[in-house]
Amino acid sequence: MKALLQSVAALRAVPSAPWRGAVQRVAVILTSSRSGSSLFKSVLAGHPAIASLDGEAEPFLALSGNGFGFNSDSDALRSLNDIDALADNIFDGLTVADAHWAPLPELTARWRRRLLLQFPTLFSVPEEYQRMLRALDEVLGHASMREREASQPLDEQEVQRQVLAALFWREPWRVDYYDGHLGPGANKYFDEAAKIEEPPFVLPRLRRRRFAAADAQDKVLLFKTPSDAYRPGLYEQLFPQAAVRYIHLTRGYAQCVNGLMDGWLSPTGFFAHDLRRAGVSLDIAGYSDQLPFGRHWWKFDLPPDWHALSACSLEQVCLAQWLASHRAIIASGVPALRLAFEDFMADPAAIMERATRWLELPPLPMPPALPVTMATETPGAGRWRKRRPQLRELAAQPEVSSLMDELGYRMEPEDWQ
C-alpha cells in the first residue's frame, strides 16, 4: 500500500502551497454519518465567500500517512504526520463557486488527480494513465468548446456522464461507484485491490475556480467529514492562525440508523476500511453473514471502540456509530452552532441564514431546488418505517433516549422525519 500511495502522489504531482499560516477562517461541520451533511455542505459551499473540497479530506489524510493503518487504530487522530503534504493536497483540492467554467487545463488536472484517488490500482498503470489523459483531453476539450459557443449553459451532470462513459466504456460497472446513480446498475460489489477515496465517488464540479493564495485570507475554508467527530483540534493544527468555527449538525437516531443500515448493505458504496490490513475478520449479524464483502469491509466512520462492535448485530453497530460520534462532539467541548437536519429540510433558507450568520457571512441565495447527494434510494420522509420493529427495539435502550433528549429530539415516532 505504501508503494502505491507513493506512486499515486507522484502522478498527482500536487504543487507546494505554503499558505497554512495565512488562513484566517475555517468552518467545520461536525456530525454523524448519514445525517445529511453532504447535502448541507453542498448548499453552504455555494457561498461566494467559502472555499471547499469536492468531497472530504479523508483521501488526503491517507496520502500523507495519517489515519487508520498509519498513525491510528481508528478514525481518531491526536497529531498529524507530514502536515505540510496534507495541507498541499487540501489546498490543491479547494475550489470556490464561480459563474463560469474553470479553464480547460485546470479542469483536466482536477479530474486527473481525482481519478487517481478513486481507482489508484487501475490508473497507476502507465498505459491506463495515458488512456485516461487522452479521454479527458478529448471529452473536456470538446465540452469546453461547446460551452463557449452555446447560448445556454451546458448541463453539468451530462458532461460528467460523458467523461465517465469515455473513461470506462470497457468496464461500465465502474460508473456505479459514483454519486448520482450514473451507472448501469450492475451492482458489482466494490472489490478494488486498494482504496484511497471512499465510494460513492465525487465528481469535479465544472463551475468552480481553483483556490489561490489570496483566498487564504479572504475565504472561509469549509470542511465536512463525519470522522472529524473523533479528531478535536485537527484544524487548529492544520491552520494555526485561523479562527475555527464549528457547526454541529444533528439528526434523529431512527433516520440515521436506517440510513447507515442501507449503506452497510449497499454493494457499491461507503467502503471505508478494509480490515484485512489489520488482520481482522468481522462477524456482524445481518452483514457479515449476508454479503461477500461483509467479513472484511468496515463502512462509514470507525469509532475508537470499534473492536467491541465487530461481533454485534448490524443495527447495534449502526446505533453505536450514531451514539459515538455525537458523544465525541459533545465531549470535545468546542463551541458549536447546533442545527437539526430535519429543520434544514423543513426550511432550508432559515437554517442557512443561521449558519451564515454564525460564520459572519452575508446571506446565501438558495438554489431553486436542493440537490440529491450520497443517496442510497430516492429521498423521502419516514424511510425509517421499513425497519420499525428493529428501531423501536433500539429505542428501549436508555442511552438512546438520553442522547436524543440532549440533542433536542422527542422519542415519539410521529416526530421522526
Side-chain angles (χ1 to χ4, degrees), residues 101 104 107 136-150 154-156 158-160 162-163 206-207:
W101 276 35
L104 180 58
L107 270 182
L136 292 178
D137 285 343
E138 180 180 346
V139 178
L140 290 176
H142 181 61
S144 294
M145 182 176 63
R146 286 169 51 221
E147 172 72 9
R148 290 193 299 270
E149 297 172 350
L154 297 185
D155 180 79
E156 181 172 75
E158 181 55 34
V159 174
Q160 292 168 338
Q162 291 168 4
V163 174
L206 304 177
R207 295 179 180 89

Side-chain angles (χ1 to χ4, degrees), residues 18-39:
W19 307 328
R20 288 176 51 223
V23 173
Q24 299 298 301
R25 293 190 292 169
V26 172
V28 181
I29 300 168
L30 297 175
T31 189
S32 65
S33 297
R34 307 312 287 162
S35 288
S37 57
S38 294
L39 171 59

Side-chain angles (χ1 to χ4, degrees), residues 225-243:
T225 302
S227 296
D228 283 344
Y230 313 119
R231 301 163 180 164
L234 171 72
Y235 293 96
E236 287 81 358
Q237 290 183 61
L238 263 172
F239 308 111
Q241 303 303 316

Side-chain angles (χ1 to χ4, degrees), residues 258-402:
N258 179 67
L260 284 163
M261 292 180 72
D262 283 345
W264 275 83
L265 297 173
S266 166
T268 56
F270 313 104
F271 290 76
H273 297 293
D274 186 350
L275 296 184
R276 287 174 293 194
R277 293 176 58 198
V280 173
S281 179
L282 296 172
D283 189 21
I284 298 173
Y287 173 66
S288 302
D289 54 349
Q290 300 292 322
L291 297 166
F293 50 82
R295 295 287 175 187
H296 53 271
W297 275 106
W298 184 275
K299 295 205 175 189
F300 300 105
D301 55 290
L302 190 67
D305 65 345
W306 68 270
H307 286 279
L309 303 172
S310 61
C312 292
S313 66
L314 180 57
E315 59 265 32
Q316 285 289 353
V317 171
C318 295
L319 176 63
Q321 289 178 305
W322 178 79
L323 289 165
S325 53
H326 288 295
R327 283 172 172 168
I329 294 166
I330 294 167
S332 73
V334 298
L337 171 68
R338 185 174 292 168
L339 299 173
F341 182 69
E342 295 86 348
D343 293 340
F344 173 69
M345 293 302 292
D347 192 344
I351 297 303
M352 272 297 142
E353 195 278 330
R354 290 182 61 193
T356 52
R357 188 165 9 109
W358 172 251
L359 299 177
E360 299 180 349
L361 294 174
L364 170 67
M366 294 297 295
L370 295 179
V372 176
T373 62
M374 299 295 165
T376 53
E377 58 184 74
T378 303
R383 279 171 46 190
W384 63 269
R385 291 186 177 89
K386 67 185 179 184
R387 294 191 173 100
R388 182 189 295 266
Q390 293 165 292
L391 295 169
R392 292 298 296 271
E393 187 174 333
L394 295 177
Q397 300 181 25
E399 58 265 36
V400 175
S401 58
S402 175

